[in-house]
Amino acid sequence: MDRRGQQGQVVLNTSDVGSLVVSGVKSFAKKHKIITGSYLFGIIVLLIGGTGTKLTLDKQRAYNDIMNTIDVDAEYHASNRYAQANANYRATKGWFTCDSSCQRNKRKMEDAKLDLDAILKEGYGRMSDAKSVAGLFSEVGVGEAKDSFWASFASGKRFAKRQSMWDAMFMGMRSMGRDESLIEYVLKVLLQVLINFSLGLIMALFVFIFGLWSIIKSYQPDPLTAMAFFLSAVCAAFAFVTTYLLLFYGAAAGGLYGVAKLAESNARIEGAQGQRRPVRNRPHYQ
């Protein structure tokens, strides 16, 4: 009778998981309205304004005309001159001394650096003028922000994968010394993978936010447009990272639940077989 009651209790808890999750989400939403509102606003931005406004023919022509005025060859040659001058300077520089030849190469290197900086500054100014023609909410501005986010996101995932690989290796070495079971090792590795991906993607989100303002400034927008784009991009990035992590956690929890149910089923089958096993009566000799 007790065993039936326990089985019924297990089924009841399994059926109540969905309602517990829903009640937990509602409670979190009521207590953290700003976070919930930012998440929902970010989801709307992802669904509606994912590509930006398309450039008109006049804007496209004006944008291309300004971009074509950037002297890419001058930047290339100036960069090569600076790299060669820097190599010559480092080749003649000692550990703690710099003779007359070193000083001469140093002056050449500094002059080449000034020329390169001036050319790059001029090219950046012309590129900024072209971006101002396109507009911050155009497909050019939105595309640049998206490229920046995906670069940060990929960097965060690479960090998580690399860190998880090292953690799995060192945990395996420690588990061999402690004589731990395979299930304990897998659970520890899974927990560490969740932590690594959380840290990696959260760091990627902050890196994107810190670099976003330089992208916005290059389009020369008015303060209201700049603030609107910044808030929209930050909320969209926050919503995407949060959704990705929630799905990742859900997949891990589902996998653990499936393994636990399989282990429970195997234990029940083995227990039933043990109960049906006949007991042999051994003869007693006096």
Side-chain angles (χ1 to χ4, degrees), residues 166-176 185 188-189 192:
W166 288 108
D167 289 338
M169 184 180 67
F170 287 114
M171 283 182 178
M173 296 172 60
R174 289 195 297 267
S175 297
M176 293 173 60
Y185 169 72
K188 287 183 178 180
V189 171
Q192 195 62 42

Side-chain angles (χ1 to χ4, degrees), residues 32-73:
H32 305 85
K33 296 181 180 179
I34 296 178
I35 297 177
T36 305
S38 300
Y39 176 80
L40 295 177
F41 178 70
I43 293 295
I44 295 174
V45 172
L46 290 174
L47 295 176
I48 297 177
T51 58
T53 58
K54 189 175 180 59
L55 294 179
T56 62
L57 293 178
D58 293 336
K59 285 188 176 183
Q60 184 71 46
R61 189 180 300 109
Y63 175 80
N64 291 332
D65 290 341
I66 299 176
M67 291 294 292
N68 290 333
T69 61
I70 300 176
D71 196 347
V72 181
D73 293 334

Side-chain angles (χ1 to χ4, degrees), residues 120-281:
L120 290 177
K121 184 178 180 180
E122 181 181 359
Y124 178 82
R126 294 184 181 182
M127 185 182 297
S128 180
D129 293 337
K131 290 180 178 180
S132 65
V133 172
L136 191 55
F137 281 95
S138 66
E139 55 185 347
V140 178
V142 174
E144 186 175 359
K146 289 171 63 177
D147 291 340
S148 176
F149 171 77
W150 286 121
S152 301
F153 188 79
S155 178
K157 288 201 300 183
R158 285 195 302 268
F159 164 81
K161 292 178 181 179
R162 183 172 59 251
Q163 192 66 30
S164 298
M165 181 187 66
W166 288 108
D167 289 338
M169 184 180 67
F170 287 114
M171 283 182 178
M173 296 172 60
R174 289 195 297 267
S175 297
M176 293 173 60
R178 298 175 182 176
D179 195 19
E180 295 180 351
S181 64
L182 180 61
I183 296 179
E184 292 176 342
Y185 169 72
V186 171
L187 290 177
K188 287 183 178 180
V189 171
L190 179 60
L191 179 61
Q192 195 62 42
V193 168
L194 294 176
I195 294 174
N196 290 334
F197 268 87
S198 300
L199 291 177
L201 295 185
I202 290 174
M203 287 191 300
L205 177 62
F206 281 102
V207 169
F208 166 72
I209 293 174
F210 290 147
L212 180 62
W213 192 252
S214 62
I215 296 176
I216 294 176
K217 190 171 66 173
S218 66
Y219 284 81
Q220 305 176 17
D222 59 90
L224 184 61
T225 302
M227 185 58 63
F229 187 88
F230 181 80
L231 292 177
S232 300
V234 169
C235 291
F238 168 72
F240 184 86
V241 171
T242 302
T243 304
Y244 186 92
L245 288 177
L246 289 177
L247 292 176
F248 195 73
Y249 297 155
L256 287 177
Y257 179 77
V259 171
K261 295 297 291 183
L262 181 61
E264 180 184 358
S265 177
N266 292 334
R268 188 182 298 112
I269 293 173
E270 292 178 357
Q273 290 177 354
Q275 291 179 359
R276 290 196 300 266
R277 187 175 300 169
V279 179
R280 297 179 181 178
N281 295 325

Side-chain angles (χ1 to χ4, degrees), residues 17-32:
V17 170
S19 60
L20 289 176
V21 172
V22 173
S23 62
V25 171
K26 290 182 178 180
S27 176
F28 181 87
K30 291 179 180 179
K31 293 180 180 179
H32 305 85

